[in-house]
Amino acid sequence: MSDPFRSHAVGRTAPGMRHRTITPSDTIDLAVSGERPRVIMCQAAGSVALVDDAGTVISYTMAAGQILPFSPRRINATGTTAIVVGWW
């Protein structure tokens, strides 16, 4: 069956179409093909140190299964104990 939405533009509020486990890094940004994840989902509980566009780092405590509707520039290794995936 073909995708009936293939001609529609994909925006920030659209559901993710790709996913991958995120390996936190203090230096490498998350962009894949120029895009950042739309949403972060926590697979194993812990803290997640998110970096925003301004370079500000804020740590969030997340429970397993929790979804954070935020598109971070990077997830730092320092301060991150959770296992997270991103939805692009």
Side-chain angles (χ1 to χ4, degrees):
M1 180 173 157
S2 64
D3 181 359
F5 300 105
R6 71 179 170 274
S7 64
H8 292 238
V10 177
R12 283 279 178 210
T13 59
M17 299 184 320
R18 293 170 287 152
H19 55 138
R20 70 178 173 114
T21 300
I22 294 173
T23 301
S25 170
D26 291 335
T27 58
I28 300 172
D29 290 343
L30 291 175
V32 172
S33 301
E35 299 176 26
R36 294 185 344 206
R38 295 183 196 135
V39 173
I40 301 299
M41 195 275 280
C42 183
Q43 289 188 310
S47 296
V48 182
L50 301 178
V51 181
D52 68 10
D53 284 342
T56 304
V57 180
I58 295 181
S59 291
Y60 293 86
T61 301
M62 296 184 70
Q66 183 176 354
I67 295 171
L68 185 62
F70 186 75
S71 182
R73 183 178 87 200
R74 183 173 60 242
I75 296 179
N76 280 346
T78 301
T80 296
T81 59
I83 297 173
V84 294
V85 297
W87 296 341
W88 275 258

